[in-house]
């Protein structure tokens, strides 16, 4: 059975492009072989293969991908395998101005999803041609296509009238998209439009505008979101929109967390975990260290701080070392993991005591720190760990002894030479100690 109704035309185009490439420097490029494979796969009778080939053509960076994708779209019948949508997305990924024409053609497709993907792809296509096509898509009969067209127009200076018109669209999804797009514009005129939108009877528009205002540091945005979170029917969406405002939302969410009578604290923590940046990181560090906070919340704070460890300042890691004294072994474990990735050398006196803890997880992370940062004064703790029932802990002890151990550690190290799982680690540690003698 033939899936591609216009397969002969595609094959002819493929042959012509192959001949043209052979005559020039294209095939000498590093991706020439990959392009040849994709040329063959884009005309496969298997729909999934054609879709994957379209995705590959979008990523290959070769100018020949544009006509191949355009013809693959035209040759495809019903978009049962998502080939048309994949062609639209791939044309956008090429980032080439000549992709505007085939994407404009796709905006006439009977399938709204294909039209929407074409409008989305045009955001990545430079030039006036793409802008003109997107302005036309902003009047599409399907609101989902109109909304995407406005989002794709956001950064184009010619789009301001279309975005302002979108605020008056009868479908609140389109108006919300217009708000989101306008939020990228500066100026007092934009602030006035967003302030009006924050009073809209349509909750989707109102909350999107409030989020945009809060991101700008405008108190009106925080006020609208707070009211909706506390008393509105769309409090969950309002929390997500607050999180989307980023660091500017942290004071609002922190205050809501501190007043559990207004909203469930767990929902506020969910929103805060969606906020990036040091402001949110500081909240979670403080929460982890708050002895008055519920134990599950402290653990969430510690876990979230660990997830953001790349953003934490050294001073924040130092503060989290205070969790080494916590009663909850989970909190201690998080602190040991954080210190093991940097900063553990400052707290080895406390960490060494945990190397013999009854909890095997705490012993493990304490030994991670000792293996990396320990000194000769920790030899006794490392030798004791050689009898740990966990082989991973024994290997860590051998690593630490190989780095700082003395001749006194050699007998217990060599006694492990009969264990096939540990033999080579023990040998390496012994050789390292011998080399220092």
């Amino acid at each position: 059975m033939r899936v591609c109704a216009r397969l002969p035309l595609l094959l002819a185009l493929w042959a012509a492009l192959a001949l043209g490439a052979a005559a020039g420097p294209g095939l000498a490029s590093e991706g020439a072989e990959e392009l040849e494979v994709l040329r063959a796969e884009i005309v496969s009778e298997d729909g999934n293969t054609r879709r994957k080939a379209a995705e590959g053509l979008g990523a290959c960076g070769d100018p020949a991908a544009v006509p191949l994708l355009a013809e693959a779209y035209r040759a495809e019948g019903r978009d049962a395998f998502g080939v048309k949508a994949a062609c639209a997305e791939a044309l956008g990924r090429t980032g080439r101005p000549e992709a505007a024409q085939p994407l404009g053609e796709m905006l006439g497709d009977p399938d709204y999803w294909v039209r929407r993907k074409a409008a989305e792809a045009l955001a990545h296509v430079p030039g006036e041609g793409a802008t003109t096509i997107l302005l036309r898509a902003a009047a599409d009969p399907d609101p989902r296509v109109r909304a995407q067209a406005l989002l794709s127009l956001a950064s184009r200076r010619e789009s301001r009238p279309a975005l302002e018109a979108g605020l008056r669209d009868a479908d609140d999804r389109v108006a919300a998209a217009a708000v989101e797009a306008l939020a990228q514009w500066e100026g007092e005129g934009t602030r006035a439009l967003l302030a009006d939108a924050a009073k809209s009877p349509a909750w989707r528009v109102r909350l999107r505008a409030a989020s945009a205002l809060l991101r700008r540091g405008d108190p009106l945005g925080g006020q609208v979101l707070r009211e909706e979170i506390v008393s509105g029917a769309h409090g969950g969406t309002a929390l997500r929109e607050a999180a989307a405002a980023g660091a500017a939302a942290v004071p609002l969410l922190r205050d809501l967390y501190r007043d559990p009578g207004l909203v469930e604290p767990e929902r506020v923590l969910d929103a805060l975990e969606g906020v990036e940046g040091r402001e949110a990181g500081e909240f979670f560090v403080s929460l982890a260290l708050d002895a008055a906070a519920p134990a599950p919340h402290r653990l969430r704070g510690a876990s979230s701080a660990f997830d953001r460890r790349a953003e934490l300042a050294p001073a924040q890691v130092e503060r989290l070392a205070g969790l080494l004294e916590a009663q909850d072994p989970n909190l201690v474990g998080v602190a040991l993991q954080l210190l093991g990735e940097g900063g553990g050398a400052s707290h080895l006196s406390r960490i060494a005591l945990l190397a013999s803890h009854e909890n095997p997880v705490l012993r493990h992370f304490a030994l991670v720190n000792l293996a990396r940062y320990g000194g000769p004064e920790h030899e006794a703790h490392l030798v004791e760990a050689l009898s740990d029932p966990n082989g991973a802990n024994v290997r860590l002890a051998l690593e630490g002894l190989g780095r700082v151990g003395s001749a006194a550690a050699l007998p217990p190290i060599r006694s492990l030479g009969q264990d096939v799982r540990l033999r080579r680690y023990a040998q390496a540690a012994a050789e390292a100690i011998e080399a220092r003698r």
Side-chain angles (χ1 to χ4, degrees):
M1 182 179 70
R2 263 168 91 178
V3 179
C4 291
R6 300 180 65 182
L7 187 57
L9 180 58
L10 241 176
L11 288 171
L13 177 67
W14 174 27
L17 287 169
L19 288 172
L27 286 180
S29 67
E30 190 174 321
E33 184 176 344
E34 178 189 4
L35 182 62
E36 290 305 306
V37 172
L38 293 171
R39 277 190 175 120
E41 292 179 343
I42 198 67
V43 297
S44 168
E45 292 196 357
D46 179 74
N48 288 322
T49 300
R50 296 197 302 279
R51 186 187 69 250
K52 291 177 181 177
E55 294 167 356
L57 284 167
C60 76
D62 196 298
V66 173
L68 280 170
L69 289 164
E71 190 54 40
Y73 163 77
R74 298 181 189 116
E76 195 72 17
R78 188 168 58 91
D79 200 30
F81 296 97
V83 177
K84 286 185 172 184
C87 287
E89 186 173 357
L91 282 165
R93 289 189 69 187
T94 68
R96 303 190 67 84
E98 58 267 33
Q101 190 276 327
L103 285 169
E105 182 181 339
M106 293 178 187
L107 284 168
D109 196 276
D111 187 335
Y112 96 88
W113 180 247
V114 176
R115 301 200 306 278
R116 183 190 174 282
K117 295 301 288 185
E120 183 179 3
L122 280 161
H124 309 291
V125 177
E128 294 182 4
T131 302
T132 300
I133 294 167
L134 280 169
L135 290 171
R136 188 171 74 241
D140 191 276
D142 192 295
R144 293 164 292 191
V145 180
R146 296 201 301 276
Q148 182 57 62
L150 292 177
L151 291 173
S152 295
L153 281 166
S155 61
R156 301 180 186 243
R157 59 183 179 82
E158 304 92 334
S159 67
R160 182 67 178 242
L163 298 181
E164 293 187 16
L167 291 173
R168 301 186 292 274
D169 197 283
D171 192 292
D172 65 347
R173 292 170 294 181
V174 180
V179 167
E180 187 172 339
L182 277 167
Q184 300 182 37
W185 291 63
E186 299 295 335
E188 184 57 31
T190 300
R191 190 269 170 196
L193 289 171
L194 293 174
D196 286 343
K199 303 170 188 173
S200 170
W203 62 269
R204 198 189 310 269
V205 178
R206 185 169 66 250
L207 297 182
R208 188 68 52 80
S211 179
L213 287 167
L214 181 58
R215 193 180 307 120
R216 291 166 172 249
D218 193 311
L220 175 61
Q223 177 185 335
V224 172
L225 288 169
R226 180 185 175 86
E227 290 174 358
E228 194 69 43
I229 291 168
V230 173
S231 60
H234 305 285
T237 303
L239 280 168
R240 289 192 294 274
E241 289 289 358
V250 172
L252 166 65
L253 295 172
R254 183 186 59 227
D255 291 346
L256 288 170
Y257 173 78
R258 290 173 176 172
D259 193 343
L262 295 178
V263 61
E264 294 177 14
E266 289 77 10
R267 294 175 63 200
V268 180
L269 291 178
D270 289 343
L272 277 160
E273 285 179 344
V275 179
E276 298 180 356
R278 288 196 173 185
E279 292 82 359
E282 176 58 30
F283 169 86
F284 287 116
V285 168
S286 298
L287 178 61
L289 294 167
D290 185 359
H297 293 185
R298 291 190 70 189
L299 184 56
R300 272 189 85 166
S303 298
S304 294
F306 180 78
D307 291 341
R308 299 161 183 265
R309 58 194 180 278
E311 301 175 3
L312 295 181
Q316 290 174 311
V317 176
E318 281 292 310
R319 288 169 56 203
L320 286 167
L323 295 177
L324 292 172
E325 311 294 343
Q327 297 299 311
D328 185 344
N330 293 307
L331 290 174
V332 179
V334 173
L336 285 170
Q337 290 180 74
L338 274 167
L339 294 168
E341 295 194 9
S346 304
H347 305 278
L348 288 174
S349 59
R350 286 185 287 175
I351 291 173
L353 297 175
L354 295 169
S356 56
H357 198 281
E358 62 181 11
N359 186 308
V361 175
L362 297 190
R363 289 202 309 274
H364 174 75
F365 288 114
L367 288 166
V368 166
N369 280 270
L370 289 182
R372 291 178 182 172
Y373 310 118
E377 67 273 22
H378 303 111
E379 181 176 305
H381 297 284
L382 293 168
V383 169
E384 181 183 355
L386 294 178
S387 59
D388 195 290
N390 187 315
N393 289 348
V394 177
R395 289 195 295 272
L396 285 167
L398 287 168
E399 179 185 335
L401 288 167
R403 195 170 58 79
V404 300
S406 69
L410 288 173
I413 290 174
R414 286 173 174 151
S415 70
L416 297 173
Q418 302 305 311
D419 190 324
V420 294
R421 300 168 303 168
L422 300 170
R423 182 184 301 151
R424 65 188 182 93
Y425 301 100
Q427 182 178 353
E431 290 176 354
I433 293 173
E434 290 283 7
R436 290 198 299 273
R437 294 177 68 182

